Amino acid sequence: MSAEETSRFVRLRVELVLEVHEEDQVTKAALRRLAQDPELPESERAQAEGTVTEDTAEALAYLVDPFDLVSEVPGVELQQASWSSERIDYDPDSPDWDLDEDDEEGDEEEGGMG
């Protein structure tokens, strides 16, 4: 395919597993960000504060923003993003946690490390 025939759109998939050592620090950071968010209506702020206070995974989802990850990458514009978080049981030695298992078919198409 020539450059003119290929799509300009790229789907970048990222999966992270984070170990939280200080839940209160994560919650406080999410609450600070909520307090500084000028686009968040007051009617939604109280609900969001309750959500991030009750669930550290939700606090992380509020703190990790895909736009922040690509905003300084030259030549790209974020078109769409979705993300979620959940508490999980994690065993790094388990074969169930092979991050490359979903990418077997696409390995030859993708660049970078994986």
Side-chain angles (χ1 to χ4, degrees):
M1 265 188 175
S2 72
E4 295 166 1
E5 295 172 330
T6 60
S7 175
R8 297 181 324 204
F9 298 96
V10 175
R11 180 185 309 249
L12 176 65
R13 295 182 186 172
V14 177
E15 182 170 334
L16 305 170
V17 175
L18 306 173
E19 182 176 1
V20 178
H21 294 279
E22 301 288 338
E23 289 189 16
D24 61 325
Q25 289 183 14
V26 174
T27 300
K28 287 176 186 176
L31 290 171
R32 278 191 303 274
R33 182 171 279 185
L34 281 167
Q36 297 169 355
D37 186 345
E39 296 181 20
L40 184 64
E42 278 302 316
S43 59
E44 296 177 21
R45 189 177 312 274
Q47 180 181 354
E49 288 173 348
T51 301
V52 302
T53 300
E54 293 173 13
D55 187 350
T56 304
E58 288 295 327
L60 279 167
Y62 192 82
L63 290 167
V64 177
D65 183 345
F67 177 77
D68 291 343
L69 298 174
V70 298
S71 63
E72 295 187 26
V73 176
V76 300
E77 180 181 337
L78 181 64
Q79 296 297 307
Q80 180 180 353
S82 65
W83 66 104
S84 63
S85 63
E86 61 186 338
R87 289 187 177 270
I88 59 168
D89 292 324
Y90 176 65
D91 176 4
D93 298 324
S94 170
D96 293 337
W97 287 100
D98 181 8
L99 292 179
D100 293 330
E101 73 183 23
D102 293 336
D103 299 331
E104 290 177 12
E105 294 176 18
D107 280 346
E108 59 277 350
E109 296 175 15
E110 296 179 23
M113 299 172 65

